[in-house]
Amino acid sequence: MDEVRFDRMVPPMVVARRNECSLAYLGVGTLEWHGPHMPFGTDFLTVAHIGEESARRFGGVVFPPIYYGDVRYILQECRAEWRKTYCKEMQVPEA
């Protein structure tokens, strides 16, 4: 299978894929807590997979996805249950 992930390609591979289809995918995914059953990077992993499958099916290259942080644990004034559950799960000491 041809490599579609830009960060793992050498210049001739990039040129060949660009000549076939000059399209690039850039996913953005949160780095957030999903509870004890899922990794923090679930959204990142999802957009990375979607980008790779799209590039394989339709052409182009995939740039590494961009993480953005989770600030829900700071938003206790609007969702106190998130902070309580997050802090308990992550063993954050009480202030």
Side-chain angles (χ1 to χ4, degrees):
M1 186 177 297
D2 290 334
E3 183 61 67
V4 296
R5 296 168 292 182
F6 184 82
D7 57 324
R8 298 178 187 211
M9 299 169 80
V10 294
M13 295 166 73
V14 174
V15 170
R17 289 207 59 90
R18 186 182 63 225
N19 287 338
E20 290 175 17
C21 178
S22 61
L23 181 63
Y25 301 89
L26 176 61
V28 178
T30 57
L31 184 60
E32 66 180 337
W33 176 74
H34 290 282
H37 63 294
M38 293 175 71
F40 280 86
T42 295
D43 300 327
F44 174 89
L45 295 169
T46 301
V47 298
H49 176 74
I50 291 169
E52 290 170 25
E53 284 301 308
S54 298
R56 285 188 185 99
R57 291 181 189 184
F58 309 115
V61 298
V62 182
F63 289 111
I66 297 172
Y67 280 117
Y68 69 92
D70 177 21
V71 295
R72 290 183 303 163
Y73 70 93
I74 297 172
L75 302 176
Q76 66 265 14
E77 59 276 357
C78 61
R79 294 299 298 264
E81 71 276 11
W82 283 352
R83 179 163 175 77
K84 181 179 178 182
T85 305
Y86 178 90
C87 289
K88 180 181 176 186
E89 190 67 38
M90 296 301 297
Q91 299 178 10
V92 175
E94 291 186 28

Coordinates of all heavy atoms in Angstrom, one line a residue:
M1 N 0.9 -1.2 0.0 CA 0.0 0.0 0.0 C 0.9 1.2 0.0 O 1.9 1.3 0.7 CB -0.9 0.0 1.2 CG -1.9 1.1 1.2 SD -3.0 1.0 2.6 CE -3.9 -0.5 2.4
D2 N 0.6 2.2 -0.8 CA 1.3 3.5 -0.9 C 1.1 4.3 0.4 O 0.1 4.3 1.0 CB 0.9 4.3 -2.1 CG 1.2 3.7 -3.4 OD1 2.2 3.0 -3.4 OD2 0.5 4.0 -4.4
E3 N 2.2 4.9 0.8 CA 2.2 5.8 2.0 C 1.5 7.1 1.6 O 1.7 7.6 0.6 CB 3.6 6.1 2.4 CG 3.7 6.9 3.7 CD 3.0 6.2 4.9 OE1 3.5 5.2 5.4 OE2 2.0 6.8 5.3
V4 N 0.6 7.5 2.5 CA -0.1 8.8 2.3 C 0.2 9.8 3.4 O -0.2 11.0 3.2 CB -1.7 8.5 2.2 CG1 -2.0 7.7 1.0 CG2 -2.2 8.0 3.5
R5 N 0.8 9.4 4.4 CA 1.1 10.3 5.6 C 2.4 11.1 5.2 O 3.4 10.5 5.1 CB 1.3 9.5 6.8 CG 0.0 8.8 7.3 CD 0.2 7.7 8.3 NE 1.0 6.7 7.8 CZ 1.4 5.6 8.4 NH1 1.0 5.4 9.7 NH2 2.1 4.6 7.9
F6 N 2.2 12.4 5.1 CA 3.2 13.3 4.7 C 4.5 13.2 5.5 O 5.6 13.2 5.0 CB 2.7 14.7 4.7 CG 3.7 15.7 4.2 CD1 3.8 16.0 2.8 CD2 4.5 16.5 5.1 CE1 4.7 16.9 2.3 CE2 5.4 17.4 4.6 CZ 5.5 17.6 3.2
D7 N 4.3 13.0 6.8 CA 5.5 13.0 7.7 C 6.3 11.7 7.6 O 7.4 11.6 8.1 CB 5.1 13.2 9.2 CG 4.0 12.1 9.6 OD1 3.2 11.8 8.8 OD2 4.1 11.7 10.8
R8 N 5.8 10.7 6.8 CA 6.5 9.5 6.6 C 7.0 9.3 5.1 O 7.5 8.2 4.8 CB 5.7 8.3 7.0 CG 5.3 8.4 8.5 CD 4.4 7.3 8.9 NE 4.0 7.5 10.3 CZ 3.8 6.5 11.1 NH1 3.9 5.3 10.8 NH2 3.4 6.8 12.4
M9 N 6.8 10.4 4.4 CA 7.1 10.3 2.9 C 8.5 11.0 2.7 O 8.8 11.9 3.4 CB 6.0 11.0 2.1 CG 4.7 10.3 2.3 SD 3.3 11.2 1.6 CE 3.5 10.8 -0.1
V10 N 9.2 10.5 1.6 CA 10.4 11.2 1.1 C 9.9 12.0 -0.1 O 8.9 11.8 -0.7 CB 11.5 10.2 0.8 CG1 12.0 9.5 2.0 CG2 11.0 9.2 -0.3
P11 N 10.7 13.1 -0.4 CA 10.3 14.0 -1.5 C 9.8 13.3 -2.8 O 8.7 13.8 -3.3 CB 11.6 14.8 -1.8 CG 12.2 14.9 -0.4 CD 12.0 13.5 0.2
P12 N 10.4 12.3 -3.4 CA 9.8 11.8 -4.6 C 8.4 11.2 -4.4 O 7.6 11.2 -5.3 CB 10.8 10.6 -5.0 CG 12.1 11.0 -4.3 CD 11.7 11.7 -3.0
M13 N 8.1 10.7 -3.2 CA 6.8 10.2 -2.9 C 5.8 11.3 -2.9 O 4.7 11.2 -3.4 CB 6.8 9.4 -1.6 CG 7.7 8.1 -1.6 SD 7.9 7.5 0.1 CE 6.3 6.8 0.5
V14 N 6.2 12.4 -2.3 CA 5.3 13.6 -2.2 C 5.0 14.1 -3.6 O 3.8 14.3 -4.0 CB 5.9 14.7 -1.3 CG1 5.0 15.9 -1.4 CG2 6.0 14.2 0.1
V15 N 6.0 14.2 -4.4 CA 5.8 14.7 -5.8 C 4.9 13.8 -6.6 O 4.0 14.3 -7.3 CB 7.2 14.9 -6.5 CG1 7.0 15.2 -7.9 CG2 8.0 16.0 -5.8
A16 N 5.1 12.5 -6.5 CA 4.3 11.6 -7.2 C 2.8 11.7 -6.8 O 1.9 11.7 -7.7 CB 4.8 10.1 -7.0
R17 N 2.6 11.7 -5.5 CA 1.2 11.8 -5.0 C 0.6 13.2 -5.4 O -0.6 13.2 -5.8 CB 1.1 11.6 -3.5 CG 1.3 10.1 -3.2 CD 0.7 9.6 -2.0 NE -0.7 9.7 -1.9 CZ -1.6 8.8 -2.3 NH1 -1.1 7.7 -2.9 NH2 -2.9 8.9 -2.2
R18 N 1.4 14.2 -5.4 CA 0.9 15.6 -5.8 C 0.5 15.6 -7.2 O -0.5 16.2 -7.7 CB 1.9 16.6 -5.4 CG 1.3 18.0 -5.7 CD 2.3 19.1 -5.4 NE 3.5 19.0 -6.3 CZ 4.7 19.1 -5.9 NH1 5.0 19.4 -4.7 NH2 5.7 19.0 -6.8
N19 N 1.3 14.9 -8.1 CA 1.1 14.9 -9.5 C -0.2 14.1 -9.8 O -0.9 14.4 -10.8 CB 2.3 14.3 -10.3 CG 3.4 15.3 -10.3 OD1 3.2 16.5 -10.2 ND2 4.6 14.7 -10.5
E20 N -0.5 13.1 -9.0 CA -1.7 12.3 -9.2 C -3.0 13.1 -8.7 O -4.0 13.1 -9.4 CB -1.7 11.0 -8.3 CG -0.7 10.0 -8.9 CD -0.6 8.8 -7.9 OE1 -1.5 8.6 -7.1 OE2 0.4 8.1 -8.0
C21 N -2.8 13.8 -7.6 CA -3.9 14.6 -7.0 C -3.4 15.6 -6.1 O -2.9 15.2 -5.0 CB -4.9 13.6 -6.3 SG -6.3 14.5 -5.6
S22 N -3.5 16.9 -6.4 CA -2.9 17.9 -5.5 C -3.9 18.3 -4.4 O -4.5 19.4 -4.4 CB -2.5 19.1 -6.4 OG -3.7 19.7 -7.0
L23 N -4.1 17.4 -3.5 CA -5.0 17.6 -2.4 C -4.3 17.2 -1.1 O -3.5 16.2 -1.1 CB -6.2 16.7 -2.6 CG -7.4 16.7 -1.6 CD1 -8.0 18.1 -1.5 CD2 -8.4 15.7 -1.9
A24 N -4.5 18.0 0.0 CA -4.0 17.7 1.3 C -5.1 17.7 2.3 O -6.0 18.5 2.3 CB -2.9 18.7 1.6
Y25 N -4.9 16.8 3.3 CA -5.9 16.7 4.4 C -5.2 17.1 5.7 O -4.1 16.7 5.9 CB -6.4 15.2 4.5 CG -7.1 14.7 3.3 CD1 -6.3 14.1 2.3 CD2 -8.4 14.8 3.1 CE1 -6.9 13.6 1.2 CE2 -9.0 14.3 2.0 CZ -8.3 13.7 1.0 OH -8.9 13.2 -0.1
L26 N -5.9 17.9 6.5 CA -5.3 18.3 7.7 C -6.4 18.2 8.8 O -7.4 19.0 8.8 CB -4.8 19.8 7.7 CG -4.3 20.3 9.0 CD1 -3.1 19.5 9.6 CD2 -3.9 21.8 8.8
G27 N -6.4 17.2 9.6 CA -7.4 16.9 10.6 C -7.1 17.7 11.9 O -5.9 18.0 12.2
V28 N -8.1 18.0 12.6 CA -8.0 18.7 13.9 C -8.8 17.8 14.9 O -9.9 17.5 14.7 CB -8.5 20.1 13.9 CG1 -8.4 20.8 15.3 CG2 -7.7 20.9 12.8
G29 N -8.1 17.5 16.0 CA -8.8 16.7 17.0 C -8.5 17.1 18.4 O -7.4 17.5 18.7
T30 N -9.5 17.0 19.3 CA -9.2 17.4 20.6 C -8.4 16.4 21.4 O -8.4 15.2 21.0 CB -10.6 17.6 21.4 OG1 -11.3 16.4 21.4 CG2 -11.3 18.8 20.9
L31 N -7.7 16.8 22.3 CA -7.0 16.0 23.3 C -7.8 16.1 24.6 O -7.6 17.0 25.3 CB -5.5 16.5 23.4 CG -4.6 15.6 24.3 CD1 -4.5 14.2 23.7 CD2 -3.2 16.3 24.3
E32 N -8.7 15.2 24.8 CA -9.6 15.3 25.9 C -9.9 14.0 26.6 O -9.7 12.9 26.0 CB -10.9 16.0 25.4 CG -11.7 15.1 24.4 CD -13.0 15.7 24.0 OE1 -13.5 16.6 24.6 OE2 -13.5 15.3 22.9
W33 N -10.4 14.2 27.8 CA -10.8 13.0 28.6 C -12.1 12.5 28.1 O -13.1 13.2 28.0 CB -10.8 13.5 30.0 CG -11.3 12.5 31.0 CD1 -10.6 11.4 31.4 CD2 -12.5 12.4 31.7 NE1 -11.3 10.7 32.3 CE2 -12.5 11.3 32.5 CE3 -13.7 13.2 31.6 CZ2 -13.6 10.9 33.3 CZ3 -14.7 12.8 32.4 CH2 -14.7 11.7 33.3
H34 N -12.2 11.2 27.9 CA -13.4 10.5 27.5 C -13.9 9.5 28.5 O -14.8 8.7 28.3 CB -13.2 9.7 26.2 CG -13.0 10.6 25.0 ND1 -14.1 11.3 24.3 CD2 -11.9 11.0 24.3 CE1 -13.6 12.0 23.3 NE2 -12.3 11.8 23.3
G35 N -13.3 9.6 29.7 CA -13.6 8.6 30.7 C -12.5 7.5 30.8 O -11.6 7.5 30.0
P36 N -12.7 6.5 31.7 CA -11.6 5.5 31.9 C -11.5 4.5 30.8 O -10.6 3.8 30.7 CB -12.1 4.9 33.2 CG -13.5 5.0 33.2 CD -13.8 6.4 32.6
H37 N -12.5 4.5 29.8 CA -12.5 3.4 28.8 C -11.9 3.8 27.5 O -11.8 3.0 26.6 CB -14.0 3.0 28.6 CG -14.8 4.1 28.1 ND1 -15.1 5.2 28.8 CD2 -15.5 4.3 26.9 CE1 -15.9 6.0 28.1 NE2 -16.1 5.5 26.9
M38 N -11.5 5.1 27.3 CA -11.0 5.5 26.0 C -9.8 6.4 26.1 O -9.6 7.1 27.1 CB -12.1 6.3 25.2 CG -13.3 5.5 24.8 SD -14.6 6.4 24.1 CE -13.9 6.8 22.5
P39 N -8.9 6.4 25.1 CA -7.6 7.2 25.2 C -8.0 8.7 25.1 O -9.0 9.1 24.4 CB -6.8 6.7 24.1 CG -7.7 6.0 23.2 CD -8.8 5.5 23.9
F40 N -7.1 9.5 25.6 CA -7.2 11.0 25.5 C -7.2 11.4 24.0 O -7.9 12.4 23.6 CB -6.1 11.7 26.2 CG -6.3 11.8 27.7 CD1 -5.9 10.7 28.5 CD2 -6.9 12.9 28.3 CE1 -6.1 10.8 29.9 CE2 -7.1 13.0 29.6 CZ -6.7 11.9 30.4
G41 N -6.5 10.7 23.2 CA -6.4 11.1 21.8 C -7.4 10.5 20.8 O -7.2 10.4 19.6
T42 N -8.6 10.0 21.3 CA -9.6 9.4 20.5 C -10.0 10.2 19.3 O -10.0 9.7 18.2 CB -10.8 9.0 21.3 OG1 -10.4 8.0 22.3 CG2 -11.9 8.4 20.5
D43 N -10.2 11.5 19.5 CA -10.7 12.4 18.4 C -9.5 12.5 17.4 O -9.8 12.5 16.2 CB -11.1 13.7 18.9 CG -12.3 13.6 19.9 OD1 -13.1 12.7 19.7 OD2 -12.4 14.4 20.8
F44 N -8.3 12.7 17.9 CA -7.1 12.8 17.0 C -7.0 11.5 16.2 O -6.8 11.6 15.0 CB -5.9 13.0 17.9 CG -4.6 13.0 17.2 CD1 -4.1 14.1 16.7 CD2 -3.9 11.8 17.1 CE1 -2.8 14.1 16.1 CE2 -2.6 11.8 16.5 CZ -2.1 13.0 16.0
L45 N -7.1 10.4 16.8 CA -7.0 9.1 16.1 C -8.1 8.9 15.0 O -7.8 8.4 14.0 CB -7.1 7.9 17.1 CG -5.9 7.8 18.1 CD1 -6.2 6.8 19.2 CD2 -4.6 7.5 17.4
T46 N -9.3 9.4 15.3 CA -10.4 9.3 14.4 C -10.1 10.2 13.2 O -10.2 9.7 12.0 CB -11.7 9.8 15.1 OG1 -11.9 8.9 16.2 CG2 -12.9 9.7 14.1
V47 N -9.7 11.4 13.4 CA -9.5 12.3 12.2 C -8.3 11.8 11.4 O -8.2 12.0 10.2 CB -9.4 13.8 12.5 CG1 -10.7 14.3 13.1 CG2 -8.2 14.1 13.4
A48 N -7.3 11.3 12.1 CA -6.1 10.7 11.4 C -6.5 9.6 10.5 O -6.1 9.5 9.3 CB -5.0 10.2 12.3
H49 N -7.4 8.7 11.0 CA -7.8 7.6 10.2 C -8.7 8.0 9.0 O -8.5 7.5 7.9 CB -8.6 6.6 11.1 CG -9.2 5.5 10.3 ND1 -8.5 4.4 9.8 CD2 -10.5 5.2 9.9 CE1 -9.3 3.6 9.2 NE2 -10.5 4.1 9.2
I50 N -9.6 9.0 9.2 CA -10.4 9.5 8.2 C -9.6 10.1 7.1 O -9.8 9.9 5.9 CB -11.5 10.5 8.7 CG1 -12.5 9.7 9.6 CG2 -12.2 11.2 7.6 CD1 -13.4 10.7 10.4
G51 N -8.6 10.9 7.4 CA -7.7 11.5 6.5 C -6.9 10.5 5.6 O -6.8 10.6 4.4
E52 N -6.4 9.5 6.3 CA -5.6 8.4 5.6 C -6.5 7.6 4.7 O -6.1 7.4 3.5 CB -5.0 7.5 6.6 CG -3.9 8.1 7.4 CD -3.4 7.3 8.6 OE1 -3.5 6.1 8.5 OE2 -2.8 7.9 9.5
E53 N -7.7 7.3 5.1 CA -8.6 6.5 4.2 C -9.0 7.4 3.0 O -9.1 6.9 1.9 CB -9.8 6.0 5.0 CG -9.5 4.8 5.8 CD -9.0 3.6 5.0 OE1 -9.6 3.2 4.0 OE2 -7.9 3.1 5.4
S54 N -9.3 8.7 3.3 CA -9.7 9.6 2.2 C -8.6 9.7 1.2 O -8.8 9.7 -0.1 CB -10.1 10.9 2.7 OG -11.2 10.8 3.6
A55 N -7.3 9.9 1.6 CA -6.2 10.0 0.7 C -6.0 8.7 -0.1 O -5.7 8.8 -1.3 CB -4.9 10.3 1.5
R56 N -6.2 7.6 0.5 CA -6.0 6.3 -0.2 C -7.1 6.2 -1.3 O -6.9 5.7 -2.4 CB -6.1 5.1 0.7 CG -4.8 5.0 1.5 CD -4.7 3.7 2.4 NE -3.5 3.7 3.2 CZ -3.5 4.1 4.5 NH1 -4.6 4.4 5.1 NH2 -2.4 4.1 5.1
R57 N -8.3 6.6 -1.0 CA -9.5 6.4 -1.9 C -9.5 7.5 -3.0 O -9.8 7.2 -4.1 CB -10.8 6.4 -1.1 CG -11.0 5.2 -0.3 CD -12.3 5.3 0.4 NE -12.4 4.3 1.4 CZ -13.5 4.0 2.1 NH1 -14.6 4.8 2.0 NH2 -13.6 3.1 3.0
F58 N -9.2 8.7 -2.6 CA -9.4 9.8 -3.5 C -8.2 10.5 -4.0 O -8.2 11.4 -4.8 CB -10.4 10.8 -2.9 CG -11.7 10.2 -2.4 CD1 -11.9 10.2 -1.0 CD2 -12.6 9.6 -3.2 CE1 -13.1 9.6 -0.5 CE2 -13.7 9.0 -2.8 CZ -14.0 9.0 -1.4
G59 N -7.0 10.2 -3.3 CA -5.8 10.9 -3.7 C -5.4 11.9 -2.7 O -6.1 12.2 -1.8
G60 N -4.1 12.4 -2.8 CA -3.6 13.4 -2.0 C -2.7 12.9 -0.8 O -2.4 11.7 -0.8
V61 N -2.3 13.8 0.0 CA -1.5 13.4 1.2 C -2.2 13.9 2.4 O -3.1 14.7 2.4 CB -0.1 14.0 1.1 CG1 0.7 13.6 -0.1 CG2 -0.1 15.6 1.1
V62 N -1.7 13.3 3.6 CA -2.3 13.6 4.9 C -1.3 14.2 5.7 O -0.2 13.6 6.0 CB -2.9 12.3 5.5 CG1 -3.5 12.7 6.9 CG2 -3.8 11.6 4.6
F63 N -1.5 15.4 6.2 CA -0.6 16.1 7.1 C -0.9 15.5 8.5 O -2.1 15.2 8.8 CB -0.7 17.6 7.1 CG -0.1 18.2 5.9 CD1 -0.9 18.8 4.9 CD2 1.3 18.1 5.6 CE1 -0.4 19.3 3.8 CE2 1.8 18.7 4.5 CZ 1.0 19.3 3.6
P64 N 0.0 15.5 9.4 CA -0.3 15.1 10.8 C -1.4 15.9 11.4 O -1.4 17.2 11.3 CB 1.0 15.3 11.6 CG 2.1 15.3 10.5 CD 1.4 15.9 9.3
P65 N -2.4 15.3 12.0 CA -3.4 16.1 12.7 C -2.9 17.0 13.7 O -1.9 16.8 14.3 CB -4.4 15.0 13.3 CG -4.0 13.8 12.5 CD -2.6 13.9 12.2
I66 N -3.7 18.0 14.0 CA -3.4 19.0 15.0 C -4.2 18.7 16.3 O -5.4 18.5 16.2 CB -3.7 20.4 14.5 CG1 -2.8 20.8 13.3 CG2 -3.5 21.5 15.7 CD1 -3.2 22.1 12.7
Y67 N -3.5 18.6 17.4 CA -4.3 18.5 18.7 C -4.7 19.9 19.2 O -4.0 20.8 19.0 CB -3.3 18.0 19.8 CG -3.1 16.5 19.8 CD1 -1.8 16.0 19.6 CD2 -4.1 15.6 20.1 CE1 -1.5 14.7 19.7 CE2 -3.8 14.2 20.1 CZ -2.5 13.8 19.9 OH -2.2 12.5 20.0
Y68 N -5.8 19.9 19.8 CA -6.1 21.1 20.6 C -6.6 20.6 21.9 O -7.2 19.5 22.1 CB -7.0 22.1 19.9 CG -8.5 21.8 19.8 CD1 -9.4 22.1 20.7 CD2 -8.9 21.1 18.6 CE1 -10.8 21.8 20.5 CE2 -10.2 20.8 18.4 CZ -11.1 21.1 19.4 OH -12.5 20.8 19.2
G69 N -6.3 21.4 23.0 CA -6.5 20.9 24.4 C -7.9 20.9 24.8 O -8.8 21.6 24.3
D70 N -8.1 20.2 25.9 CA -9.4 20.1 26.5 C -9.4 21.0 27.7 O -8.6 20.9 28.6 CB -9.6 18.6 27.0 CG -10.9 18.4 27.8 OD1 -11.8 19.3 27.6 OD2 -11.1 17.4 28.5
V71 N -10.4 21.9 27.8 CA -10.5 22.8 28.9 C -11.7 22.6 29.7 O -12.1 23.4 30.6 CB -10.4 24.3 28.5 CG1 -9.0 24.6 27.8 CG2 -11.5 24.6 27.5
R72 N -12.4 21.4 29.5 CA -13.6 21.2 30.2 C -13.5 21.2 31.7 O -14.4 21.6 32.5 CB -14.3 19.9 29.7 CG -14.9 20.0 28.3 CD -15.6 18.8 27.9 NE -14.6 17.7 28.1 CZ -15.0 16.4 28.1 NH1 -16.3 16.1 28.0 NH2 -14.1 15.5 28.2
Y73 N -12.3 20.7 32.2 CA -12.1 20.6 33.6 C -12.0 22.0 34.3 O -12.2 22.1 35.5 CB -10.9 19.7 34.0 CG -9.6 20.4 33.7 CD1 -8.9 21.1 34.6 CD2 -9.1 20.2 32.4 CE1 -7.7 21.7 34.3 CE2 -7.8 20.8 32.1 CZ -7.2 21.6 33.0 OH -6.0 22.1 32.7
I74 N -11.8 23.0 33.5 CA -11.7 24.4 34.0 C -13.1 25.0 34.1 O -13.4 26.0 34.8 CB -10.8 25.3 33.1 CG1 -9.4 24.7 33.2 CG2 -10.8 26.7 33.5 CD1 -8.4 25.4 32.2
L75 N -14.0 24.5 33.3 CA -15.4 25.1 33.2 C -16.3 24.6 34.3 O -17.5 24.4 34.0 CB -15.9 24.7 31.8 CG -15.1 25.2 30.6 CD1 -15.7 24.7 29.3 CD2 -14.9 26.7 30.6
Q76 N -15.9 24.6 35.5 CA -16.7 24.1 36.6 C -17.9 24.9 36.8 O -18.9 24.5 37.3 CB -15.9 23.8 37.9 CG -15.4 25.1 38.5 CD -14.0 25.4 38.1 OE1 -13.5 24.8 37.1 NE2 -13.3 26.3 38.8
E77 N -17.9 26.2 36.5 CA -19.0 27.1 36.7 C -20.2 26.7 35.8 O -21.3 27.0 36.2 CB -18.7 28.6 36.5 CG -18.1 28.9 35.2 CD -16.6 28.7 35.0 OE1 -16.0 28.3 35.9 OE2 -16.2 28.9 33.9
C78 N -20.0 26.1 34.7 CA -21.1 25.7 33.8 C -21.3 24.2 33.8 O -22.5 23.7 33.5 CB -21.0 26.2 32.4 SG -19.5 25.6 31.5
R79 N -20.4 23.4 34.1 CA -20.5 21.9 34.1 C -19.7 21.3 35.3 O -18.7 20.6 35.1 CB -20.1 21.3 32.8 CG -20.9 21.6 31.5 CD -22.3 21.2 31.6 NE -22.6 19.8 31.7 CZ -22.8 19.0 30.7 NH1 -22.9 19.5 29.5 NH2 -23.1 17.7 30.9
A80 N -20.2 21.6 36.5 CA -19.5 21.1 37.7 C -19.3 19.6 37.7 O -18.3 19.1 38.2 CB -20.3 21.6 38.9
E81 N -20.2 18.8 37.1 CA -20.1 17.4 37.1 C -18.9 16.9 36.3 O -18.3 15.9 36.6 CB -21.4 16.7 36.7 CG -21.7 16.8 35.2 CD -22.4 18.1 34.8 OE1 -22.5 19.1 35.6 OE2 -22.9 18.2 33.6
W82 N -18.6 17.7 35.3 CA -17.4 17.3 34.5 C -16.1 17.4 35.3 O -15.3 16.5 35.3 CB -17.2 18.2 33.2 CG -18.2 17.8 32.1 CD1 -19.0 16.7 32.0 CD2 -18.3 18.6 30.9 NE1 -19.7 16.8 30.9 CE2 -19.3 17.9 30.2 CE3 -17.8 19.7 30.5 CZ2 -19.7 18.3 28.9 CZ3 -18.2 20.2 29.2 CH2 -19.2 19.5 28.5
R83 N -16.0 18.5 36.0 CA -14.8 18.8 36.8 C -14.7 17.7 37.9 O -13.6 17.1 38.2 CB -14.8 20.2 37.4 CG -13.6 20.4 38.3 CD -13.3 21.8 38.6 NE -12.2 22.1 39.5 CZ -10.9 21.9 39.2 NH1 -10.6 21.6 38.0 NH2 -10.0 22.2 40.1
K84 N -15.8 17.4 38.6 CA -15.8 16.5 39.7 C -15.4 15.1 39.2 O -14.5 14.4 39.8 CB -17.2 16.4 40.4 CG -17.2 15.5 41.5 CD -18.6 15.5 42.1 CE -18.7 14.5 43.3 NZ -20.0 14.4 43.8
T85 N -16.0 14.6 38.1 CA -15.6 13.3 37.6 C -14.2 13.3 37.0 O -13.5 12.3 37.3 CB -16.6 13.0 36.5 OG1 -18.0 13.1 37.0 CG2 -16.4 11.5 36.0
Y86 N -13.8 14.3 36.3 CA -12.5 14.4 35.7 C -11.4 14.3 36.9 O -10.5 13.6 36.8 CB -12.3 15.6 34.9 CG -10.9 15.8 34.3 CD1 -10.6 15.3 33.1 CD2 -9.9 16.5 35.0 CE1 -9.4 15.5 32.5 CE2 -8.7 16.7 34.5 CZ -8.4 16.2 33.2 OH -7.2 16.3 32.7
C87 N -11.6 15.2 37.8 CA -10.6 15.3 38.9 C -10.6 14.0 39.7 O -9.5 13.5 40.1 CB -11.0 16.4 39.9 SG -10.6 18.1 39.1
K88 N -11.7 13.3 39.9 CA -11.7 12.0 40.6 C -10.9 11.0 39.8 O -10.1 10.3 40.3 CB -13.1 11.6 40.9 CG -13.2 10.2 41.6 CD -14.6 9.8 41.8 CE -14.7 8.4 42.5 NZ -16.0 8.0 42.6
E89 N -11.3 10.9 38.5 CA -10.6 9.9 37.6 C -9.2 10.1 37.5 O -8.4 9.2 37.4 CB -11.4 9.9 36.3 CG -11.0 8.8 35.4 CD -11.4 7.4 35.9 OE1 -12.5 7.3 36.4 OE2 -10.7 6.5 35.7
M90 N -8.8 11.4 37.3 CA -7.4 11.7 37.1 C -6.6 11.9 38.4 O -5.4 12.2 38.4 CB -7.3 13.0 36.2 CG -7.8 12.8 34.8 SD -7.0 11.5 33.9 CE -5.3 12.1 33.8
Q91 N -7.2 11.7 39.5 CA -6.6 11.8 40.9 C -6.0 13.2 41.1 O -4.9 13.3 41.6 CB -5.6 10.7 41.1 CG -6.3 9.4 41.1 CD -5.3 8.2 41.3 OE1 -4.1 8.4 41.6 NE2 -5.8 7.0 41.1
V92 N -6.7 14.3 40.7 CA -6.3 15.6 40.9 C -6.6 16.0 42.3 O -7.7 15.9 42.8 CB -7.0 16.6 39.9 CG1 -6.7 18.0 40.2 CG2 -6.8 16.2 38.5
P93 N -5.6 16.4 43.1 CA -5.8 16.8 44.5 C -6.8 18.0 44.6 O -6.8 18.9 43.7 CB -4.4 17.2 45.0 CG -3.4 16.9 43.9 CD -4.2 16.6 42.6
E94 N -7.5 17.9 45.6 CA -8.5 19.0 45.9 C -7.7 20.3 46.3 O -6.7 20.2 46.9 CB -9.5 18.6 47.0 CG -10.4 17.6 46.5 CD -11.5 17.3 47.6 OE1 -11.8 18.2 48.3 OE2 -12.0 16.2 47.6
A95 N -8.2 21.4 45.8 CA -7.5 22.7 46.1 C -7.7 23.1 47.6 O -8.6 22.7 48.3 CB -8.1 23.8 45.3

